[in-house]
Amino acid sequence: MLNRRKLLVAGGAAVGGALILPKGLKNPSASATGLGPIGDPHGHQFYGSTARPHVKGAAFSVPMPVPRVLTPFKGDPDVDFYRVPIRPANVEILPGVQSPLLTFDGGLVGPTIKARTGRPVSVTFTNQLSEAANVHLHGGHVLPQDDGHPMDVIAPGASRSYSYPNTQQGATLWYHDHSHHTEARHVYHGLHGFYLIEDPAEQSLGLPSGQYDVPIMLRDVLIDETGNLVDGAEPDQVNTLLANGKPQPYFQVAARKYRFRLLNSAIHRQFNLNLGGVQMLQIATDGGLLPAPVPRTEIELTAAERVEIVVDFSRFPVGTQIVMNDTIGPVLRFDVVRTALDTSRVPSTLRPLPALPPATVTRDIRLSFDVSGPVPVGLVNGKPYDPTRVDIQIKRGTTEIWNVTNADPIEFDAAHNFHMHLVQFRVLSRDGGPPTVNDMGRKDTVSLPPTKSVQLQATFGDYLGRYAYHCHFLEHSALGMMGQMEIVA
Ligand code: C2O
Ligand code: CU
Ligand code: CU
């Protein structure tokens, strides 16, 4: 087991460049010896850089686009058929600079797929990259062959159709690459998009809709002078904040209510969002609507989490500017530019949560890093991911409690989070106490700060087969911090 002494020994070696800690981990020996930041062979620093938002050009100089909604290519009474190429593209992220990306159909944010509960969708992805890729529907209740298993990839030049039954309730999902060891680089380079499920009960609530229902993908990036995305930089350095693919944009709004679907698609960064004290009325989380709206002034969003908020701009005169801030700086500015009729409402009751069936199995899941070798290895319960190994067998239809712990030593200062495929779960408790406001509702991804733990309850439905669970800091899962469960009859 890793202990502080061993780290100190390893840290001594690091001065010579031998120890590579996972990105973002603090080296305890450095501060203990006053050596300061330790460089790695690529010239990055392990810690000590001051997080500062980095923007070429002034903030709020470009408008925030809304990702386009994909149109089915074939009219079919029972299924919506879509086609999406996976292809390289040069995209302007920073003004006047072309960045080579890996994209779903040409944009840093892929096209939005809108689905309806009860109506299946089939998406044919054609891989026009020179390397294998695949697609996972994050938050989707889908068969294993449609889940984007890390080893189940689309070869270069090949096509693959994924079937999404949409038997679940309305929710903000997203699709992204999940290819083994390359998921972090692929997602960082642009393989992500929204997948929104709407259902009739939700539509009847009268929430802001149409142009007043806006998905916003938040992430970060580091772009060099030539426009290339810098891979593998220290998280602190990756500090150009993007909203729907644009750096610190502005978004013109009417003085009325809007629904914003916020997704953190970064591979590492946690966003801590506020509107400078302006209320954000949270209506939904990963798995869809909350039982009731919850007023928030600050929202934490770890990688892959979603939060839906309603912001009422009718209280502000035309000309008002409201900035959405993260800890390191502004993310986005809302400019109130006109008045508009508003017949939308936010009912005080949204959707009750389903009752929790009694759990029959309890498991312990521990996420950690092994830094004893030349390259850090991500572990779940002491083992790196092996796609051929089943770590957990679960009986179909049963309910389980998982105690999930960030088992890294406090000195690493290593945050993780935890995501399960196939199901949404509920957070029963956090660090032995009640869940936080960030844990409310039907979740599929939760934060796990250093040494912390969460207790989750999930009910496994009718699909048999193998699915992943992992830290959704994709650099960590790419290093092995992932396990495999098999649902059996
Ligand atoms: Cu966002 Cu394994 O997934
Ligand atoms: Cu997922
Ligand atoms: Cu992690």
Side-chain angles (χ1 to χ4, degrees), residues 136-140 147 174 176 178 304 306 419-423 444-445 468-470 472:
H136 166 61
L137 180 61
H138 182 119
D147 193 50
W174 61 301
H176 64 80
H178 217 303
R306 287 86 71 206
H419 167 54
M420 287 167 83
H421 285 214
L422 181 64
V423 291
D444 55 47
T445 310
Y469 52 91
H470 55 94
H472 214 293

Side-chain angles (χ1 to χ4, degrees), residues 91 96 171 182 208 226 228 230-231 249-250 265 304 319 370 377 389 434 448:
V91 175
T182 43
T226 60
N228 286 306
V230 180
D231 249 328
Y250 63 86
S265 74
D370 175 0
V377 179
R389 185 186 70 225
L448 269 182

Side-chain angles (χ1 to χ4, degrees), residues 367 369 415-417 471-473 476-477 481:
L367 307 185
F369 270 116
H416 300 299
N417 73 1
C471 175
H472 214 293
F473 294 3
H476 296 184
S477 48
M481 201 174 288

